[in-house]
Amino acid sequence: DQIRARASAPPMSTAPRHPTATRRGTPPSVGERYRHNTARHLIGISRDLQARTLGRLADAHGYRGLRPSLGPLLSLLWDEGRSITALSEPLAISKQACSQLANLAEAAGYLARKPDPADGRSKHVVLTRRGRALVTDAVRSVLEVEGEYAALVGAAPLRRFAASLGALYRGLGIATHAGPCVLRRDVIEW
């Protein structure tokens, strides 16, 4: 009977156990689930970073009409103007949604529409002087917040965390929204 029971038992998983899994199959406590919940932590850190950055940009620099969704759009325009169609693909949104974002950014004075140099019938969106200043100030603000995070957990652990997230990001094949010049700290003139 024992042999039959073993043969009919489901195969043991070779996947690593989650930190909150218990030995006897009892569900983890609420505290354990929250303490080791990677998704919850990443979402919380992302929201904190957005709130601190947008708050600084509004309070210290006077930028208005900001939304987290404008960041990727504006960062794609750092090097050159692009058409709405060319912007919608890397943003993974429809042309209509991209046009609505561009309208918001244009109304706030962060981008302008210019004739396409290759095709006079279509328009490119480009950063205005204020839009370039916003991107520069946003990068500074993010770096300041990163400094605050380093003060909380230590510079070395924060670098390891960032390196691990970067490896995961690349491993998942997620495309970056910002061009290399926005990502490089030495390009932004302080």
Side-chain angles (χ1 to χ4, degrees), residues 28-181:
S29 70
V30 171
E32 289 173 329
R33 283 195 313 266
Y34 280 107
R35 188 171 30 257
H36 300 293
N37 188 324
T38 304
R40 177 181 168 269
H41 296 315
L42 291 174
I43 291 167
I45 292 166
S46 175
R47 287 181 179 160
D48 180 77
L49 177 64
Q50 286 179 350
R52 288 181 191 221
T53 302
L54 292 176
R56 285 170 198 230
L57 291 170
D59 297 342
H61 301 286
Y63 294 107
R64 299 290 175 243
L66 296 179
R67 297 171 179 220
S69 56
L70 289 178
L73 171 75
L74 297 177
S75 69
L76 284 170
L77 297 171
W78 183 261
D79 286 329
E80 63 186 356
R82 296 184 186 195
S83 69
I84 294 295
T85 302
L87 288 167
S88 65
E89 186 177 322
L91 292 173
I93 60 176
S94 69
K95 292 177 212 166
Q96 292 81 6
C98 189
S99 182
Q100 289 173 352
L101 271 179
N103 290 343
L104 289 171
E106 185 176 26
Y110 304 128
L111 64 79
R113 295 175 196 260
K114 305 274 184 186
D116 182 340
D119 178 6
R121 296 172 296 162
S122 64
K123 300 274 186 187
H124 269 182
V125 291
V126 297
L127 288 176
T128 61
R129 179 176 285 149
R130 182 141 175 86
R132 291 186 82 71
L134 169 59
V135 173
T136 301
D137 290 337
V139 170
R140 280 191 196 125
S141 295
V142 168
L143 294 175
E144 289 170 6
V145 173
E146 285 180 7
E148 293 168 8
Y149 291 165
L152 289 172
V153 300
L158 187 64
R159 278 193 304 275
R160 285 191 303 272
F161 175 68
S164 294
L165 287 179
L168 178 59
Y169 201 79
R170 288 185 302 279
L172 293 172
I174 300 171
T176 60
H177 294 298
C181 66

